[in-house]
Amino acid sequence: MKKKTLVPLIVFLLGMCLVGLIVYKTDAIEKEQKRTTAQLNATTYGERIKNEITNGIEITDTLQQILISENGEINYFDTISKNIMSDSIESIQLAPNGVVTDIYPAEGNEAGKIDLLHDKDRGEISCYARDNHTLITQGPFELKQGGYGIAVRNPVYLNDKNGQEYFWGFTIVILRVPDIFSDSINALSDFSYKYKLSKTSSPWSDTYEVVYQSDGTLTNPVSYDFTIGEENWKFEVMPENGWGNTALIAIIIGFFTSIILILSVLIWVWLTSKENKNRFQKLAHMDSLTNIYNRYGFDELAEEMIAKNPNAHYVVALFDIDDFKFINDIYGHVYGDRALKNLADSMKISFPSDALLGRNGGDEFCILLPNRTYDDAKEQLQQFTMLPKIFSYKGNDYPFYISLGYAEYPTAASNRAQLMRCADAALYEVKLHGKNGCMAYKEGLQSGVRKQLGFALKDISEHLPGAFIIYRADKENDELFYANHEFLHMAGYKDIDELFKLTKKSFRNLIREDEQQQIEASIWQQIDNGNENDYIYFHLRKADGTYLSVLDHGRIVENQQYGRVFYVLFMDWADMHIRYSDKFSE
């Protein structure tokens, strides 16, 4: 994975881990704070609920004191009950010997007059209260008048004439739920808390039953425990929205994730910019076609290498492709580029990794070999020059050749620029001596600006005084390579592409069908007899399908790239006949 992608990703992942840690710590602190606050509320309001229930129980204590003071009698029960009655009290009862005889208010409560000690639902717990001298609560249960209630039964004991204690009965109050502790639960609701009030089902049981609770399930609530009589009560509390602060956590996640994303993007932009800068710097120094240094890059690095170790020996070689213009003219620039790329690839294979390889431009290349002398580099450069070099064209391989000159620092030159001029002078000398060779610089070679050597094929062919073509000298494969403008004009072809298309690049297809075998046999007979000066007469096929009477004069030439080829000039037979008949008639 690229650095510009990997680094921002690592930053993002580490950042998200940090966000996770911050969220975890924040959530833990928030939960702890909420639990502390909730515990404080549970304690405060649990104690208030206990007091509110105890206030209801005190009614039974008041009646108990009256019974004790009146020796088991209560006169004016209704009047007394009315005075101590409240909205949260459903009824006040007396149960001498465990049998309910008096109820206030009486209306609607007639069914409450029961024998508590022998009642199937109330007997066991009532007997326990009697036998253990303890106040008991029972419920909640559904009231016939509607709603729910809790029965508080307070056992009363008196002394007889002999001073012996005996069980008188119960003073009873029925508390309305949740009216008895409505102030506390309303306050908790206002503070957005859920709650649940529970009590043990009996003094001897550890099982809790719910007295009253808010809507919804409580998750991991805090609690406050208290005791009334011998029964345990539990008041549980938790925030309505849970222990976590979802809004705060969302804000933290959003805020820090945004920062991390921005930071990651900025790092990616910076790395991308840095990578692009390095790439552009590299592109400024590299040749895009051959992927070796261009002239600017080569000159800069060569200067640095020599300056870094000026006492070392260096050899610079300059070389180019012989007749490269011919390759471009015949095969096109695409195949010329292939030849250049193949040459650069052979450089990479032929020279060690410490060699500096460059392309000066066009078909000219250069090599700097550090820590080399003439003797060290001679064999390697000669082998490279003679190494077969080819490019492919339509399934066939075609060879090409190079000329190379080289010079040594500091033997021949005192600086890089002078060293390059000396190598160029040696290359010029190779060109003057027939090309396809390798030569070291020596004193006396011209080191000035190299002159143009020879002439380009197109310059020559387009100005020949006649129509001109080149084709392969092969009996089986007479491939057309080139035709100048005058030939195309004479034969009616608009350009060389149309010529190649209509003739299928075969010279044979320029000859009238009925003359092909005879003309080809005549051409090769002349060649085999060593006679290259005879003319051949035949009918040349024009672009429009008509024929033109022509004389051709050809010569076989050995070419380094294509082997034996024919160079052929054409003359219009009718035009020659007219012109020369006029001259002879004079």
Side-chain angles (χ1 to χ4, degrees), residues 459-468 484 486 569:
D459 293 336
I460 297 174
S461 64
E462 292 301 335
H463 296 92
L464 285 173
F468 172 75
N484 68 354
E486 190 164 341
L569 283 171

Side-chain angles (χ1 to χ4, degrees), residues 57-106:
I57 293 174
E58 287 178 351
I59 294 175
T60 64
D61 292 335
T62 301
L63 294 175
Q64 183 184 40
Q65 293 303 318
I66 294 173
L67 286 169
I68 292 172
S69 64
E70 296 295 330
N71 196 24
E73 298 290 335
I74 294 183
N75 299 314
Y76 310 109
F77 170 73
D78 289 349
T79 301
I80 295 171
S81 296
K82 181 178 180 182
N83 289 331
I84 60 177
M85 192 75 170
S86 69
D87 292 339
S88 60
I89 304 299
E90 177 63 25
S91 66
I92 299 172
Q93 304 175 10
L94 292 177
N97 296 316
V99 179
V100 178
T101 58
D102 297 282
I103 299 176
Y104 180 88

Side-chain angles (χ1 to χ4, degrees), residues 39 63 77 138 143 189 202 208 210 238 276 318 371 469 501 513 557 561 563:
Q39 185 64 63
L63 294 175
F77 170 73
Q138 188 174 13
L143 298 172
S189 297
S202 63
Y208 281 84
V210 177
M238 71 166 291
N276 289 337
L318 288 180
N371 302 311
I469 68 169
K501 179 180 179 181
E513 288 83 349
V557 177
Q561 281 82 11

Side-chain angles (χ1 to χ4, degrees), residues 214-242:
S214 60
D215 295 334
T217 303
L218 275 66
T219 304
N220 194 24
V222 297
S223 64
Y224 175 71
D225 297 325
F226 57 91
T227 302
I228 297 177
E230 291 188 7
E231 293 173 311
N232 296 321
W233 293 65
K234 181 185 292 185
F235 185 52
E236 298 171 287
V237 171
M238 71 166 291
E240 285 185 356
N241 296 324

